[in-house]
Amino acid sequence: MDVGFLKPLFDRPGPWAGVYMDTSRSTEDAPRRRRLRERFVADQLTGQGADRATCDAVIERLAGEQWARTSAGRALFATDGEVVLDLPLATSPIDVVTSWSMLPRVAPLAVFRGEWPACLVAFVDQAGADLELRDDTGARSAGRAGGRRAHGRGHRSVPADRYEWHYANRVGNTWEQTADRVADELIRQWTDTDADLLILAGDPRERRAVRDRLPEPLRARTEETRHGSRAAGCSEQLNAEIDHARAEYARAHLETVLDLFRAGRGRPGGPALSGHDGTGPPSSGAAEGVPAVVEVMRRHQAATLLLGHTGGDMRHEVWIGPDADQVAVQRSQARAMGVRTPEPARADDALMRSATVADTEVLVVPEGLQGPAGGLGAVLRWHA
């Protein structure tokens, strides 16, 4: 999961109010039940120490918006009397969960938001393509890639056999030019967006011609669908194919990262990490456990932060300062970094902050897959 969308939470100091709740059945809720839920949130936040202005901002947001949402859940983060982020969730929280802490309680987002890679969808035909970008915020138009239509026969009298040859050639040449333009626009869009996957929908001949014109690295990230056309728009079958392609990409990516993690931590002939006690950098391609992961995150050395579904490491207390790089296992270490008044925080939230600022990917290891012992690990960009 790309956690760049969390940056607004770390541009200002806390403490922060956090709320996770189910919205999947909100349209069925009676107004009285909604008010009870809002009162429950207010009571919980007040009991945890939240100030009145921040509580009021959260309740006003909950009461003032339409509850008919397509998302399964919702997460709000507020501080200093303002709701800073209001996010849809892919998975519904079982209960309403509130928090009041120096760092926003962001680690559950890795589970509730899910790993849905952004994708660029092209609806291709002989006249060009309509483009759409889909990410975890929904779907939106990404413009068009146009071409020139082949002109019809008109009314001139031309011998049939000669005309058919010229017309077929003209149509073929026009489509070749259109396919070139569509491919060029897709290459440009791919460079300008954060898409991980390209999906081509439409007539098999046209979409195959576009795919053949793409550079190999992009072709390797491209899937073709059996349903969907530019004229008909998105169908349920096409949506299902796109969801399946995104899920398969996420699964394959997680398996690749876990293979790198296991290879990095399990090199034969010695310990996986020379810096496991936090006193030095890892000598392999992976880090595991609180001290080692804190160390590589501080150095911006991690390419991917791995979080388990369970494990005591995530709840481990660390010490932080106002900057994302100011995180330490011991209070004295934080003071040595120049933090005058270190604050305690959960390890998973502190490391999510570090990942956000350093543009480090965050992945959740599902139950049943072998991941980091204790629930915290990292795959490194470089190692000693």
Side-chain angles (χ1 to χ4, degrees), residues 131 168 222 288 342 370:
L131 308 182
T222 301
E288 185 174 34
Q370 181 189 358

Side-chain angles (χ1 to χ4, degrees), residues 187-229:
I187 294 169
R188 187 189 71 78
Q189 291 268 11
W190 184 264
T191 303
D192 293 344
T193 66
D194 293 325
D196 299 298
L197 191 62
L198 173 61
I199 294 178
L200 300 178
D203 182 82
R205 186 176 71 91
E206 276 82 32
R207 68 176 189 246
R208 195 171 301 117
V210 170
R211 182 170 188 164
D212 289 344
R213 286 164 169 76
L214 298 175
E216 179 55 35
L218 180 51
R219 218 173 340 180
R221 296 280 192 95
T222 301
E223 297 287 342
E224 296 183 48
T225 67
R226 292 176 298 171
H227 300 91
S229 71

Side-chain angles (χ1 to χ4, degrees), residues 98-374:
T98 63
S99 60
W100 178 253
S101 52
M102 186 55 60
L103 282 184
R105 183 77 181 98
V106 293
L109 286 172
V111 175
F112 291 136
R113 291 275 284 189
E115 175 61 15
W116 281 97
C119 65
L120 185 63
V121 184
F123 301 89
V124 184
D125 65 15
Q126 288 190 2
D130 292 328
L131 308 182
E132 180 181 274
L133 183 64
R134 297 192 180 196
D135 55 21
D136 52 13
T137 65
R140 58 188 180 276
S141 172
R144 295 181 178 180
R148 294 181 302 179
R149 290 184 179 275
H151 295 293
R153 297 186 179 188
H155 300 288
R156 298 178 62 185
S157 176
V158 181
D161 56 347
R162 181 181 174 188
Y163 182 85
E164 292 295 345
W165 186 87
H166 281 289
Y167 181 74
N169 246 341
R170 188 174 185 180
V171 170
N173 290 338
T174 300
W175 166 240
E176 295 290 320
Q177 295 170 3
T178 300
D180 287 337
R181 291 191 181 97
V182 172
D184 288 344
E185 179 62 17
L186 289 175
I187 294 169
R188 187 189 71 78
Q189 291 268 11
W190 184 264
T191 303
D192 293 344
T193 66
D194 293 325
D196 299 298
L197 191 62
L198 173 61
I199 294 178
L200 300 178
D203 182 82
R205 186 176 71 91
E206 276 82 32
R207 68 176 189 246
R208 195 171 301 117
V210 170
R211 182 170 188 164
D212 289 344
R213 286 164 169 76
L214 298 175
E216 179 55 35
L218 180 51
R219 218 173 340 180
R221 296 280 192 95
T222 301
E223 297 287 342
E224 296 183 48
T225 67
R226 292 176 298 171
H227 300 91
S229 71
R230 194 179 187 191
C234 256
S235 64
E236 289 186 12
Q237 294 95 332
L238 176 60
N239 283 328
E241 283 191 83
I242 293 174
D243 288 347
H244 177 74
R246 294 172 78 184
E248 281 298 299
Y249 176 88
R251 180 193 59 76
H253 177 59
L254 175 61
E255 288 182 354
T256 299
V257 172
L258 286 177
D259 285 344
L260 291 172
F261 173 75
R262 293 163 191 150
R265 75 169 182 181
R267 293 185 174 184
L273 291 174
S274 64
H276 191 79
D277 61 354
T279 60
S283 58
S284 65
E288 185 174 34
V290 176
V293 176
V294 165
E295 180 72 13
V296 298
M297 293 299 292
R298 279 201 315 105
R299 294 169 175 264
H300 295 194
Q301 193 177 350
T304 304
L305 173 66
L306 294 172
L307 302 178
H309 260 286
T310 59
D313 283 353
M314 292 183 293
R315 298 187 299 275
H316 195 284
E317 183 178 81
V318 297
W319 296 89
I320 63 168
D323 296 333
D325 295 337
Q326 293 174 327
V327 53
V329 177
Q330 299 174 2
R331 182 185 295 183
S332 59
Q333 291 174 331
R335 285 180 175 150
M337 297 173 192
V339 182
R340 296 181 62 183
T341 310
E343 297 280 352
R346 284 180 57 123
D348 52 3
D349 290 328
L351 294 173
M352 282 277 283
R353 179 180 68 160
S354 298
T356 300
V357 174
D359 294 323
T360 298
E361 177 186 44
V362 178
L363 292 179
V364 174
V365 182
E367 291 182 272
L369 289 182
Q370 181 189 358

